[in-house]
């Protein structure tokens, strides 16, 4: 790979990427002007937001500096549910060109709306994201995010088109056929959930296709938490740059923030999405660098503006300059959401901690699941099932037991709880085509 090919500075033929490099003083002026406009517009058009402001005694005039944003009420998921389906829309239905919806685990989904301009802003965010990973006009993107109400498929699709790349709208599923198409069409870039890419790696192996020898250079993996250990595994197995892409339906979809080729967090496109980090208990805004809940205000969205949306995603804002030259701040990898934590024997645990423990030990595959059960004594039990490479079971029984012990210890070192580790055969755990479910809490049953 030549240096030039991997230079991730935007070339003039991709003007969509230019705002990433805006001088900070200009960016702050732009943000304040946009923030004032979006707060005023939302106040005028969305009764639910206006009523919340009135209860909190704030009005659009209260916003004189960027820091004044903290005076305004948060928007939370229940605001979206309570106003289902269209209650938070700030545009007339006749101006809305698209709806998306999140699946939601129970009851009604979350519905989000886009005007033509909103679709353009979203596509620009994704185009910048792809450009930050070195994708250019003439490159081919194999897009295996699901198409439909989920924002992944169409989000990457419009962004790739805006950038001028060739997009293959393959969506999820039919994995062997995907490997064939990856190979035959010579894709340089791929996008899907990290868990689905693991599945593609496996399928390629079975089909005797070595992804390291393919033209594939870079992957845009997101929509679910994954660890640096997993990234290293993917980079090694497929010989590509595995980059983290972040976004959420409420804020538009993928392409809110993107890891560049320097791989230190994800640049958040601050000219459209204004980030704050808060303490989820006290709700105070935290200083740069502190870990807390990411809160985003959309600066340019028309149909579905979100003021101080609490994402539940835990991260920190990285303010030191990035070697790529982009001025926009970065968010650290999102290892967890405040609501995916489980409590076992009084200890708070996040699934990503278990993944880090497992993948710190050599000899396991990155396919696992976590099962919580009530033991016979009535105590909660933590069972972790993880795959090991084919053939390992037959020969070395003692080594296998040692591996089990090492894994249990690695997990215990991180979460302070002993897990019962069960080694299972390669390909025996369920695979997913989209977001993977790894946690099975069977304690209530
Ligand atoms: O998952 C949008 C998306 C599609 C992002 C494709 C990236 C790629 P939702 O279905 O609304 O939207 O889920 C949003 O997924 O609040 C995070 O908890 C999680 N998430 C998204 N990206 C990442 C990531 C899409 N890179 C929720 N790392 C978010 C960790 C992520 N978690």
């Amino acid at each position: 790979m030549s240096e030039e090919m991997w230079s991730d500075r935007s070339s003039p033929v991709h003007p969509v990427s230019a705002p990433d490099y805006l001088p900070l003083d200009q960016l702050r002026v732009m943000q304040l002007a946009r923030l004032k406009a979006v707060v005023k517009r939302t106040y005028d058009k969305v009764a639910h937001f206006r009523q919340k402001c009135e209860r909190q005694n704030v009005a659009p005039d209260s916003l004189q500096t960027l820091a004044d944003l903290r005076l305004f009420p948060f928007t939370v998921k229940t605001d979206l549910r309570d106003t289902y389906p269209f209650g938070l829309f700030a545009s007339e239905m006749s101006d809305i060109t698209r709806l998306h919806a999140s699946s939601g685990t129970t009851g009604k989904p979350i519905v989000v709306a886009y005007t033509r301009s909103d679709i353009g802003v979203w596509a620009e965010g994704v185009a910048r994201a792809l450009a930050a990973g070195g994708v250019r006009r003439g490159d081919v993107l194999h897009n295996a995010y699901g198409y439909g109400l989920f924002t992944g498929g169409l989000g990457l699709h419009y962004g790739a088109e805006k950038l001028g790349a060739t997009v293959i709208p393959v969506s999820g599923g039919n994995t062997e056929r995907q490997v064939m198409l990856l190979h035959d069409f010579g894709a340089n870039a791929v996008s899907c959930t990290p868990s689905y890419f693991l599945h593609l790696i496996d399928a390629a192996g079975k089909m005797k296709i070595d992804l390291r020898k393919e033209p594939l250079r870079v992957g845009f993996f997101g929509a679910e938490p994954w660890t640096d250990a997993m990234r290293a595994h993917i980079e090694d197995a497929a010989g590509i740059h595995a980059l983290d892409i972040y976004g959420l339906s409420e804020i538009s979809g993928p392409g809110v923030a993107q890891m560049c080729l320097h791989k230190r967090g994800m640049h958040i496109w601050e000219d459209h999405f204004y980030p704050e980090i808060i303490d989820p208990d006290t709700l105070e805004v935290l200083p740069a660098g502190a870990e807390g809940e990411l809160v985003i205000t959309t600066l340019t969205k028309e149909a579905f503006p979100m003021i101080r949306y609490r994402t539940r995603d835990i991260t920190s804002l990285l303010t030191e300059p990035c070697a790529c030259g982009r001025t926009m701040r970065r968010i650290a990898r999102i290892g967890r959401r405040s609501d995916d934590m489980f409590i076992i024997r009084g200890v708070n645990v996040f699934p990503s901690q278990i993944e880090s423990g497992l993948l710190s030990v050599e000899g396991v595959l990155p396919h696992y699941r976590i099962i919580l059960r009530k033991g016979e004594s009535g105590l909660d039990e933590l069972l972790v099932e993880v795959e090991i490479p084919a053939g390992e079971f037959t020969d070395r029984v003692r080594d296998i037991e040692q591996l089990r012990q090492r894994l249990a210890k690695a997990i215990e070192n991180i979460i302070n709880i002993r897990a019962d580790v069960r080694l299972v055969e390669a390909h025996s755990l369920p695979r997913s085509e989209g977001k993977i479910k790894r946690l099975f809490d069977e304690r209530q049953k």
Side-chain angles (χ1 to χ4, degrees):
M1 272 169 227
S2 72
E3 258 302 297
E4 199 186 329
M5 189 174 183
W6 282 106
S7 148
D8 71 338
R9 228 192 205 285
S10 314
S11 73
V13 286
H14 296 297
V16 285
S17 297
D20 321 6
Y21 302 94
L22 215 57
L24 282 182
D25 49 346
Q26 283 178 37
L27 178 63
R28 300 288 171 247
V29 170
M30 175 197 269
Q31 285 174 323
L32 182 59
R34 289 182 170 182
L35 189 59
K36 284 182 173 173
V38 76
V39 166
K40 168 103 178 66
R41 184 159 181 284
T42 313
Y43 190 90
D44 291 345
K45 305 252 178 189
V46 183
H48 185 82
F49 177 66
R50 190 167 55 247
Q51 286 151 11
K52 284 177 73 172
C53 287
E54 283 164 1
R55 281 200 293 275
Q56 217 158 297
N57 252 324
V58 281
D61 292 349
S62 320
L63 189 86
Q64 295 305 324
T65 66
L66 286 171
D68 294 337
L69 182 59
R70 70 186 69 195
L71 304 171
F72 285 81
F74 293 105
T75 305
V76 292
K77 213 158 215 159
T78 46
D79 291 311
L80 278 71
R81 289 203 203 291
D82 294 349
T83 52
Y84 176 86
F86 303 154
L88 294 185
F89 291 8
S91 298
E92 298 298 324
M93 255 350 239
S94 52
D95 289 325
I96 287 173
T97 52
R98 177 111 57 89
L99 297 181
H100 277 278
S102 77
S103 48
T105 39
T106 48
K108 302 279 191 193
I110 298 293
V111 185
V112 298
Y114 307 77
T115 61
R116 195 167 297 284
S117 153
D118 293 336
I119 297 280
V121 166
W122 180 18
E124 177 174 319
V126 175
R128 277 188 211 173
L130 294 170
V135 178
R136 298 288 180 265
R137 188 185 180 89
D139 283 330
V140 176
L141 174 74
H142 179 104
N143 183 22
Y145 281 115
Y147 281 65
L149 287 176
F150 174 55
T151 53
L154 285 164
L156 267 290
H157 186 104
Y158 273 62
E161 285 193 350
K162 182 144 194 167
L163 185 67
T166 306
V167 56
I168 319 281
V170 62
S171 198
N174 212 339
T175 307
E176 292 201 351
R177 188 157 166 272
Q178 295 226 8
V179 174
M180 180 187 81
L181 297 180
L182 256 176
H183 176 74
D184 294 350
F185 296 173
N188 320 99
V190 60
S191 47
C192 59
T193 56
S195 56
Y196 188 58
F197 193 66
L198 291 176
H199 195 12
L200 282 170
I201 292 176
D202 274 3
K206 279 198 211 147
M207 294 163 69
K208 304 271 180 281
I209 290 183
D210 183 353
L211 289 177
R212 282 170 294 204
K213 299 207 174 104
E214 298 291 312
L216 201 60
R217 298 191 312 246
V218 59
F220 296 84
F221 304 122
E224 65 187 13
W226 54 312
T227 56
D228 274 330
M230 182 73 88
R231 192 157 62 74
H233 171 88
I234 291 177
E235 294 201 327
D236 186 49
I240 61 172
H241 293 280
L243 303 181
D244 204 355
I245 181 167
Y246 172 75
L248 59 167
S249 331
E250 295 88 324
I251 300 301
S252 64
V256 170
Q258 172 65 42
M259 174 179 266
C260 69
L261 288 164
H262 292 274
K263 301 180 184 169
R264 302 247 164 90
M266 298 175 272
H267 293 278
I268 177 159
W269 307 138
E270 285 195 67
D271 49 340
H272 297 293
F273 312 112
Y274 188 80
E276 297 170 281
I277 301 287
I278 62 161
D279 177 325
D281 298 321
T282 65
L283 305 183
E284 289 303 317
V285 176
L286 297 176
E291 190 179 77
E293 180 179 336
L294 176 65
V295 170
I296 303 180
T297 298
T298 61
L299 296 179
T300 48
K301 263 182 17 162
E302 293 176 344
F304 201 70
M306 284 281 102
I307 310 296
R308 308 196 81 200
Y309 183 67
R310 287 187 59 183
T311 64
R312 301 277 165 190
D313 293 323
I314 305 294
T315 183
S316 56
L317 268 178
L318 312 174
T319 49
E320 51 291 357
C322 181
C324 74
R326 286 181 178 78
T327 49
M328 297 192 179
R329 286 175 287 182
R330 286 160 293 153
I331 52 173
R333 169 181 295 284
I334 306 218
R336 56 200 174 96
R337 290 176 56 81
S338 52
D339 48 12
D340 71 1
M341 183 184 86
F342 61 87
I343 300 180
I344 180 147
R345 286 178 245 147
V347 178
N348 299 350
V349 179
F350 290 94
S352 56
Q353 293 178 296
I354 297 200
E355 178 174 309
S356 300
L358 287 176
L359 298 186
S360 69
V361 176
E362 276 203 29
V364 293
L365 297 169
H367 300 284
Y368 67 94
R369 64 177 177 177
I370 303 165
I371 300 164
L372 308 177
R373 284 197 187 136
K374 275 257 173 280
E376 277 173 13
S377 59
L379 268 186
D380 288 354
E381 284 177 358
L382 169 60
L383 171 67
V384 179
E385 292 183 333
V386 60
E387 291 185 4
I388 60 170
E392 301 270 319
F393 273 109
T394 40
D395 2 2
R396 301 174 290 122
V397 176
R398 220 187 41 225
D399 293 357
I400 292 290
E401 181 50 28
Q402 274 176 3
L403 177 60
R404 228 174 57 75
Q405 295 297 339
R406 252 185 287 140
L407 290 165
K409 191 79 207 145
I411 294 173
E412 189 176 358
N413 285 344
I414 295 176
I415 64 173
N416 284 322
I417 291 249
R418 190 80 184 162
D420 184 12
V421 176
R422 184 187 293 163
L423 303 176
V424 299
E425 274 187 55
H427 311 294
S428 64
L429 295 178
R431 302 294 194 252
S432 108
E433 289 171 6
K435 295 180 193 253
I436 196 161
K437 179 172 163 57
R438 288 210 169 93
L439 178 65
F440 297 83
D441 191 346
E442 298 173 353
R443 288 176 295 186
Q444 303 308 327
K445 289 181 190 161

